[in-house]
């Protein structure tokens, strides 16, 4: 899978199914802080959960506790980096 | 006088509480449990679009509880107009905010508490819900420690348990005075990142959780998979429809027989001058509605509510989002349509969850393309009576179900088409997004759901239909029994409409029935029956089995039945929905478009089927 990787940072929509990453940065988005309101803030862990039958949108497991569905067009505004060692998981 | 002043004093002493929490932490359930109100709860975020208010008394003190819409951020939760107005009135003090969190997602709740303490005046109580589920997952929370670290009272509850709600009320009662004094925001605002990190630390300190996670279950992987996702959804829906049609059949027949049996006894008690209007007019219409509308609704809506409570509807929106994306809309429109399936007026209100103004307007306009339960019952009874009687017996149960399923799919397809049309023409611009929380599946409380759904939805809607239908029944009876030039007035009116009706493959009576049923869709069929019987074809159409014969006698063909169903799906919204649309949008343009869109679509579709039927006849 091609990743538009730069300093290990890439858009969330390129995260493989099942793998986890940490949010590095939220790019400016048209909704204005709406993603942050849903819980997408830098430092939060995010895991690609599953996709809809059409492949888009995708549901992401956010912080290990809530499941949020995003379209690829929205997910590309979220930049993530792969967690260094083991898959960090938060259950709380 | 004394009583008034006492009441005033009481009112002045009313203690105010706000209920704040992340989406889907059971706020509505806690609200209902505390106040005894029956606000409808749904397992999806955005269900509570209005700030609801309720009162309760504890320890002889009155509390007013305001339920705020679910949010991940304190500031957006308090941005609702109604709430801000309140907060300004008393300087944001003298109120306590009850922050609700999900025990399985404690970090989120703690982050919300931290944000609250940094930004708001007044005190807060942390209430952690769904402790039973968390316990089953092996999550242990030390509430005393949590309370110490956060500096506010904290309690763990299971909202379903009455004792837990009392414990919560007691805690609030004990701490209200000290909390409501109003303290200045504690610290300067910190970045959400730091807040989240701190929340994580606090949780690690105060709770103990196993290292596995359950949020991404097998159920989701199957229900949203490429191969099974959509077929499973259709099967579910078909199953519900089948249960409804099969299950409603018998009670319907029983009820109509019972009403038919009572009728002569009742008629004997009524003086003869008003016998016609009371018995044939009002009694006939009302009993028809009860016999034909009540059984399918009493089966369909509780079943649908179960799916809703289990958390299934957001998955439907998730699976179908691609269709909405193509139409320039958000998948959330699917939720408003599902609400519309219950009542279009409710669906129109629900359009507030749409992310922007353009999408909201389109969702409002296209909502009445989805059949509400009044029209739904017409579809079910027509397909059971007419389509069911046209096929061999062993298919009699299956065909009506397929027929209704196809019609519902058609309704959704047409609403996508209309949304696409509007987003490409009249309401352009804006990027459609779909950011929605998918709640965890929760086992619904089956008995309670069934009971509440039966009372709050079915009985209420049938009652409204009865209230509207009784006077309308009387008016229609008068029209049917007042002769103008030897012909009943109703027949005369329908003769006027007949050419227009014939043009689109129905007749004047059907058009008249749709026009006269503007107050409520439920009364379309009774009006139609009364019109036909006034024309002298039959004297008693009370029983369901006679209806098929009555319709055939009046020249109904397969084309008439199909077009009647198409018109049922697409004609115009009922008066209640129209009023709601105007109240919600304050726009005459939206109102006019909401009226005309289904109208134009319905007439066009009927013209097409008429042409097709003619073509088939020519070939044969």
């Amino acid at each position: 899978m091609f990743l538009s990787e730069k300093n290990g940072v890439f858009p969330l929509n390129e995260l493989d199914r099942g793998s986890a990453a940490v949010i590095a940065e939220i790019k400016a988005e048209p909704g204005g802080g709406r993603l942050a309101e849903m819980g997408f803030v830098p430092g939060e862990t995010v895991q690609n959960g599953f996709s809809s039958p059409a492949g888009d949108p995708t549901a992401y497991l956010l912080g290990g506790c809530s499941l949020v569905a995003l379209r690829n067009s929205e997910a590309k505004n979220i930049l993530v980096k792969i967690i260094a060692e083991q898959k960090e998981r938060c259950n709380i | 006088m004394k009583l008034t002043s006492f009441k005033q004093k009481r009112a002045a002493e009313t203690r105010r509480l706000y209920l704040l929490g992340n989406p889907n932490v059971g706020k509505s359930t806690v609200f209902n449990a505390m106040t005894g109100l029956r606000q409808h709860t749904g397992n999806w975020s955005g269900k509570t679009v209005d700030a609801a208010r309720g009162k309760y008394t504890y320890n002889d003190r009155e509390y007013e509880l305001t339920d705020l819409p679910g949010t991940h951020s304190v500031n957006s939760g308090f941005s609702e107009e109604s709430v801000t107005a309140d907060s300004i009135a008393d300087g944001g003090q003298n109120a306590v905010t009850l922050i609700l969190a999900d025990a399985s997602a404690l970090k989120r709740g703690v982050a919300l508490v931290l944000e609250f303490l940094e930004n708001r005046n007044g005190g807060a109580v942390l209430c952690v819900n769904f402790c039973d589920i968390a316990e089953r997952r092996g999550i242990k929370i030390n509430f005393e420690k949590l309370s110490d670290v956060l500096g506010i009272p904290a309690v763990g509850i299971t909202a379903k348990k009455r004792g837990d709600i009392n414990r919560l009320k007691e805690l609030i009662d004990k701490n209200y005075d000290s909390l409501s004094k109003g303290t200045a925001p504690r610290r300067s605002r910190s970045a959400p990142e730091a807040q989240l990190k701190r929340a994580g630390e606090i949780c690690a300190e105060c709770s103990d959780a196993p290292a596995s996670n359950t949020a991404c279950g097998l159920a989701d992987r199957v229900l949203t998979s490429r191969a099974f996702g959509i077929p499973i959804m259709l099967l579910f829906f078909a199953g519900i429809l089948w249960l409804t049609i099969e299950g409603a059949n018998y009670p319907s027949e029983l009820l109509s027989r019972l009403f038919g049996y009572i009728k002569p006894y009742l008629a004997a008690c009524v003086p003869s001058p008003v016998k016609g209007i009371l018995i044939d007019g009002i009694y006939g219409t009302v009993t028809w509605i009860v016999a034909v509308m009540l059984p399918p609704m009493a089966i369909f809506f509780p079943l649908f509510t179960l799916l809703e409570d289990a958390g299934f509807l957001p998955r439907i929106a998730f699976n179908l989002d691609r269709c909405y994306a193509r139409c320039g809309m958000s998948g959330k429109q699917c939720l408003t349509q599902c609400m519309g399936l219950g009542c279009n007026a409710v669906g129109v209100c629900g359009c507030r969850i749409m992310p922007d103004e353009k999408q909201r307007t389109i969702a409002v306009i296209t909502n009445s393309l989805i059949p509400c339960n009044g029209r739904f019952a017409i579809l079910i009874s027509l397909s059971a009576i007419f389509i069911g009687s046209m096929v061999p017996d062993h298919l009699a149960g299956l065909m009506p179900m397929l027929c209704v399923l196809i019609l519902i799919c058609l309704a959704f397809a047409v609403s996508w088409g209309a949304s696409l049309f509007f987003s490409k023409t009249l309401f352009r611009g804006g990027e459609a997004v779909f950011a929605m929380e998918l709640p965890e599946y929760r086992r619904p409380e089956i008995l309670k759901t069934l009971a509440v759904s039966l009372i709050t939805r079915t009985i209420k809607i049938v009652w409204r239909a009865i209230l509207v239908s009784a006077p309308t029944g009387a008016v229609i009876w008068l029209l049917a029994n007042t002769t103008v030039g030897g012909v009943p007035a109703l027949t005369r009116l329908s003769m006027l409409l007949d050419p227009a009706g014939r043009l689109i493959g129905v007749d004047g009576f059907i058009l008249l029935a749709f026009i006269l049923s503007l107050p409520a869709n439920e009364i379309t069929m009774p009006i139609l029956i009364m019109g036909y019987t006034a024309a002298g074809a039959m004297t008693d159409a009370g029983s369901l089995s006679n209806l098929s014969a009555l319709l055939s006698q009046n020249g109904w063909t397969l084309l008439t039945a199909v077009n009647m169903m198409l018109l049922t799906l697409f004609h115009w919204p009922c008066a209640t929905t129209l009023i709601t649309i105007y109240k919600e949008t304050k726009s005459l343009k939206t109102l006019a478009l909401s009226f005309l869109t289904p109208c134009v679509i319905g007439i066009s579709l009927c013209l097409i089927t008429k042409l097709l039927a003619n073509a088939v006849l020519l070939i044969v």
Side-chain angles (χ1 to χ4, degrees):
Chain A
M1 187 183 179
F2 172 73
L3 297 179
S4 52
E5 209 167 331
K6 200 175 157 192
N7 306 330
V9 171
F10 57 94
L12 179 60
N13 59 321
E14 291 174 14
L15 185 67
D16 286 326
R17 179 179 285 210
S19 45
V22 171
I23 298 176
E25 185 191 340
I26 311 285
K27 283 203 275 189
E29 38 139 357
R34 203 181 27 80
L35 286 174
E37 230 168 74
M38 303 285 301
F40 288 95
V41 286
E44 185 69 288
T45 54
V46 61
Q47 187 187 350
N48 182 329
F50 51 89
S51 294
S52 84
D56 181 23
T58 298
Y60 297 97
L61 189 61
L62 193 59
C65 44
S66 67
L67 208 51
V68 181
L70 289 181
R71 283 185 185 162
N72 287 342
S73 58
E74 298 164 273
K76 71 173 194 279
N77 287 324
I78 299 171
L79 298 179
V80 296
K81 53 177 184 270
I82 293 283
I83 303 164
E85 317 126 42
Q86 92 289 22
K87 280 184 199 166
E88 184 191 313
R89 275 179 180 173
C90 128
N91 297 286
I92 300 165
Chain B
M1 274 309 283
K2 225 176 179 181
L3 193 71
T4 331
S5 65
F6 177 69
K7 266 188 183 164
Q8 276 167 354
K9 201 175 157 218
R10 275 286 291 272
E13 278 173 8
T14 297
R15 295 174 150 192
R16 290 217 323 277
L17 292 170
Y18 291 120
L19 190 56
L20 185 74
N22 297 328
N24 216 55
V25 293
K27 287 210 318 297
S28 297
T29 313
V30 171
F31 177 84
N32 289 347
M34 288 179 78
T35 59
L37 288 179
R38 292 263 156 78
Q39 190 188 14
H40 183 66
T41 64
N43 191 0
W44 77 62
S45 58
K47 176 81 204 204
T48 310
V49 281
D50 244 346
R53 236 164 256 208
K55 286 188 175 173
Y56 71 88
T57 314
Y58 186 86
N59 204 4
D60 280 337
R61 290 193 194 90
E62 198 170 49
Y63 288 86
E64 189 191 67
L65 184 63
T66 307
D67 184 13
L68 303 174
T71 177
H72 284 289
S73 158
V74 170
N75 290 314
S76 67
F78 273 90
S79 70
E80 287 288 302
E81 280 172 49
S82 52
V83 181
T84 336
D86 261 17
S87 320
I88 290 167
D90 58 12
Q93 292 182 10
N94 302 325
V96 168
T97 304
L98 186 58
I99 299 176
L100 202 61
D102 181 344
S104 310
L106 188 61
K107 193 167 104 181
R108 286 294 185 72
V110 170
L112 193 66
V113 170
L114 293 177
E115 197 192 345
F116 179 89
L117 293 178
E118 283 184 4
N119 287 290
R120 289 281 149 188
N121 296 328
V125 174
L126 174 64
C127 170
V128 181
N129 193 13
F130 297 118
C131 280
D132 53 342
I133 297 175
E135 206 168 293
R136 254 180 271 140
R137 289 185 186 153
I139 300 173
K140 291 188 194 80
I141 302 170
N142 183 343
F143 288 102
E144 273 169 37
K145 200 163 177 188
L146 193 61
S147 175
D148 277 351
V149 174
L150 290 171
I152 59 169
V155 63
I157 65 160
T158 301
K160 283 183 267 182
K161 290 184 191 156
R162 190 152 286 278
D164 279 11
I165 293 293
N166 273 334
R167 229 155 27 90
L168 175 63
K169 284 181 179 174
E170 191 192 329
L171 186 78
I172 293 169
D173 192 61
K174 221 164 51 188
N175 293 293
Y176 191 91
D177 280 329
S178 58
L179 286 172
S180 63
K181 288 286 178 282
T183 48
R186 275 192 200 170
R187 276 159 255 145
S188 56
R189 298 184 65 168
S190 52
E193 191 175 357
Q195 230 162 45
L196 202 69
K197 204 172 156 225
R198 177 83 190 111
E201 286 163 15
I202 293 176
C203 287
E205 208 177 317
C206 306
S207 71
D208 185 20
S212 72
N213 83 63
T214 48
C216 258
L218 182 68
D220 266 332
R221 258 175 273 148
V222 175
L223 281 176
T224 60
S225 68
R226 197 176 281 266
F228 302 114
I230 292 182
I232 286 179
M233 265 169 40
L234 282 174
L235 267 181
F236 255 118
F237 206 71
I240 290 186
L241 284 178
W242 186 78
L243 278 175
T244 306
I245 293 170
E246 283 291 292
N249 215 349
Y250 184 70
S252 263
E253 191 66 36
L254 201 72
L255 277 173
S256 65
R257 267 198 211 154
L258 179 74
F259 289 133
Y261 179 78
I262 300 172
K263 198 174 169 183
Y265 295 100
L266 217 64
C269 310
V270 177
S272 50
V274 289
K275 191 178 277 176
I277 190 164
L278 281 184
I279 300 298
D280 292 330
I282 296 174
Y283 182 81
T285 315
V286 170
T287 53
W288 162 272
I289 284 176
V290 173
V292 177
M293 300 279 153
L294 188 60
M297 276 167 55
I299 298 172
F300 181 80
F301 285 97
L303 286 177
F304 197 73
T305 313
L306 280 182
L307 278 191
E308 192 181 322
D309 286 357
F312 200 59
L313 294 194
R315 266 78 181 177
I316 296 179
F318 179 73
N319 278 349
L320 293 179
D321 181 61
R322 180 45 79 82
C323 301
Y324 292 92
R326 291 254 162 88
C327 305
M329 299 294 286
S330 158
K332 283 183 182 169
Q333 191 186 3
C334 182
L335 297 179
T336 70
Q337 290 172 323
C338 287
M339 286 191 240
L341 214 51
C343 168
N344 289 132
V346 175
V348 165
C349 285
C351 290
R352 291 178 203 173
I353 65 171
M354 299 304 289
D356 62 42
E357 201 51 41
K358 164 207 155 192
Q359 291 191 41
R360 188 180 157 208
T361 311
I362 296 177
V364 165
I365 293 172
T366 54
N367 195 272
S368 40
L369 296 174
I370 302 299
C372 68
N373 60 50
R375 292 185 279 156
F376 202 76
I378 302 176
L379 296 179
I380 288 181
S381 55
L382 270 185
S383 53
I385 292 163
F386 213 78
I387 309 290
S389 67
M390 291 176 78
V391 294
D393 266 354
H394 62 279
L395 290 175
L398 219 56
M399 265 311 277
M401 185 270 283
L402 272 179
C403 176
V404 176
L405 190 65
I406 290 168
L407 286 170
I408 303 268
C409 291
L410 177 73
F412 272 85
V414 165
S415 78
W416 290 331
S419 301
L420 178 66
F421 172 78
F422 284 122
S423 63
K424 286 274 185 279
T425 55
L426 287 172
F427 306 97
R428 263 181 289 186
E431 193 196 349
V433 292
F434 175 75
M436 192 174 71
E437 189 154 343
L438 298 178
E440 273 179 60
Y441 292 103
R442 281 184 191 136
R443 195 178 51 196
E445 294 170 81
I446 295 175
L447 283 178
K448 198 176 158 202
T449 303
L450 292 184
V452 169
S453 155
L454 200 67
I455 293 161
T456 58
R457 289 185 161 189
T458 316
I459 303 289
K460 224 161 95 185
I461 288 165
V462 171
W463 181 241
R464 186 183 77 102
I466 289 173
L467 286 184
V468 175
S469 67
T472 322
V475 171
I476 305 296
W477 185 87
L478 282 177
L479 280 177
N481 289 277
T482 318
T483 49
V484 182
V487 182
L490 200 62
T491 315
R492 216 152 251 268
L493 280 174
S494 85
M495 277 154 69
L496 277 177
L497 292 168
D498 210 49
R502 298 278 167 213
L503 189 70
I504 55 169
V506 291
D507 62 28
F509 277 115
I510 296 177
L511 278 193
L512 187 65
F514 279 119
I515 292 170
L516 291 176
S517 64
L518 184 71
N521 287 304
E522 287 86 348
I523 55 180
T524 312
M525 285 307 283
I527 294 177
L528 192 59
I529 293 166
M530 229 184 286
Y532 283 148
T533 40
M538 236 169 120
T539 47
D540 185 23
S543 133
L544 275 182
S545 38
N546 291 346
L547 186 65
S548 174
L550 175 73
L551 297 179
S552 306
Q553 277 174 35
N554 280 278
W556 273 48
T557 59
L558 184 62
L559 176 71
T560 326
V562 167
N563 281 4
M564 168 85 190
M565 289 194 207
L566 285 175
L567 282 178
T568 305
L569 282 181
F570 315 115
H571 55 294
W572 40 74
C574 72
T576 316
T577 308
L578 287 173
I579 292 167
T580 313
I581 290 172
Y582 186 71
K583 269 192 196 155
E584 284 288 309
T585 62
K586 297 273 177 244
S587 154
L588 284 175
K589 183 185 165 197
T590 310
L591 185 67
L593 282 173
S594 310
F595 188 90
L596 289 174
T597 306
C599 201
V600 169
I601 292 171
I603 291 171
S604 318
L605 283 178
C606 284
L607 277 174
I608 291 170
T609 51
K610 172 88 186 296
L611 286 175
L612 279 178
N614 283 354
V616 169
L617 281 181
L618 271 179
I619 293 164
V620 175

